[in-house]
Amino acid sequence: MPETFDVIVIGAGPGGYVCAIRAAQLGLRVACVEKRETLGGTCLNIGCIPSKALLHSSEVFEETTHHLAEQGIIVGQVGLDLAKMQVRKGEVVSANVKGVEFLFKKNKVTWLKGEGRIVAPPGRADQETPGVVNVAGTDYAAKSIVIATGSESTPLRGVEVDEKRIVTSTGALELAEVPKSMVVIGGGVIGLELGSVWRRLGAEVTVVEFLDGILPGMDGEVRKQFERLLTKQGFKFRLKSKVTSAVADDTGVTLKVQPAAGGEAEELRADVVLLAIGRRPYVEALGLDAVGVALDERGRVKTDAHFATSIPGIYAIGDAITGAMLAHKAEDEGYALAEMLVGQKPHINYDAIPGVVYTWPEVAAVGATEEALKAAGVAYKVGKFPFTANGRARAMGATDGFVKILADKATDKVLGAHIIGPDAGTLIAEVALAIEFGASAEDVARTSHAHPSLNEAVKEAALAAWDKAVHI
Ligand code: FAD
Ligand code: NAI
């Protein structure tokens, strides 16, 4: 008889490990399968955490090199020890992944090490028959199986990744030298965050983007201002362009770039090319075909509103299913699914999930964009407040950007917020909470905000949406 659990979660990323811990907290016997040497998934090992460690270090480097003198701070020659910076990044990752291992022990979640394959779905003969998952040659049984296997970088025909000269985000986090030049294919979140890291450390960065602007899907005004600010920082953009081939040699990479609509190709040369045109669900090796779990047209596991797949007893969450590919979205789904498995009725408000680009300045959004409200025919009001009029931002010398709040014209209910500016990723949390609680712009505006704080820009934008800002 195989060892039996109530739940087997496959994948220990933010979706899977949170689901496993919450299920164990609720009294279930839980195992989590992970093939990587460490827990934490893409996010902790090769995504959110290492990228933020390098973003932080490179930001400190740039600040020290270029922006201290203007505050009257004189330092000597600033140098770069990239090897040390990379070691620190590794230590940050290590502390985080060990933290998850500690939490597994604390909550009595069993880590099954190796690649998991679903051999048989639960409830075959009768409601009670457990499903079977094979891990490294051993079978384990469970009443419920959760697919939390995440995503991988989307490939591009003609661009062969070697993770040295032609890299995905994984290789871009590991470079041992600062490239003189870097071409980034894709002006999305990864391209702009990791492009920022290497530009700050000294690379000339050119972004080739298929569409007519960067960060598609975000607020139009934010996208335009952000592109202007990044250009001022030294980014070069080739919009409405596509890369048709990239070939590496001993000294660099030769790329062919064409207008998106077709036309004459041009050659570009770069030391390193970062391919960042999106991510796709990773469900290989799970044996989904054999058990009959259905995928949608984009290769995502099909689920209903309760994360149930087409096969009873098998569930899926996180990057492997529809929706934003974000760590906190995966976590929220993992948490909610664990509660559903014990009969509780949690709810996720997908309109209140924030998205943040951790560049300088940061870009953050939650809820609807103006473009989406227009398309849906919703009557709305806009309140805007620039950081130039915020005392704290002035004191910090960080006045680029603004807060924009969208509220329903008739009810004043907050529908969305879009921020570009210092610490936008922290500021957006207040508006996410407002949306979650169904607050009005007036509610946000009448809430006391400490002075002098960056949050006052949110208050003033809410005032502007409701009636009139005071400080502009
Ligand atoms: P994953 O984190 O991908 O975890 C899936 C795990 O399953 C992996 O560890 C994999 O090894 C394992 N696995 C797969 N198949 C099997 C199998 N058959 N058997 C055993 N194990 C298996 N999101 C944010 O919200 N904020 C950020 O700042 C951010 N930064 C990012 C930066 C980069 C460079 C990248 C690439 C991504 C970033 N993301 C960020 C996205 C975030 O990492 C993902 O949304 C998140 O990791 C998804 O979680 P998940 O649990 O669904 O899957
Ligand atoms: P993305 O979807 O954010 O951006 C991809 C960009 O590439 C788009 O602008 C798209 O128009 C462009 N593109 C697509 N095909 C192209 C082509 N052939 N040539 C040129 N451009 C092309 O994807 P990205 O940046 O790879 O990130 C993947 C996921 O990782 C994102 O969905 C995001 O959710 C997640 N992530 C989140 C972060 C955060 O929350 N801070 C940080 C990094 C990643």
Side-chain angles (χ1 to χ4, degrees), residues 66-77:
H66 299 297
H67 302 295
L68 289 191
E70 65 207 39
Q71 295 177 57
I73 302 168
I74 311 300
V75 291
Q77 181 77 26

Side-chain angles (χ1 to χ4, degrees), residues 224-234 361 400-401 420:
K224 278 201 198 94
Q225 175 150 3
F226 191 45
E227 190 189 315
R228 272 199 299 273
L229 289 172
L230 291 180
T231 303
K232 230 165 68 183
Q233 291 173 11
D400 283 332
I420 175 166

Side-chain angles (χ1 to χ4, degrees), residues 23 54 65 68 101 118 130 132 141 161 182 199 255 297 337-338 351 367 382 390-392 410 438 465:
L54 289 185
T65 313
L68 289 191
E101 209 173 323
I118 304 174
V132 180
V161 170
M182 175 181 257
R199 186 205 56 73
L255 300 105
E297 71 295 341
L337 173 57
D351 290 335
V382 184
N390 175 272
R392 184 66 187 278

Side-chain angles (χ1 to χ4, degrees), residues 11 35 143 145 184-185 191 261 340 437:
K35 63 179 179 170
K143 286 186 209 118
I145 297 170
V184 177
I185 312 177
M340 287 173 189
F437 280 23

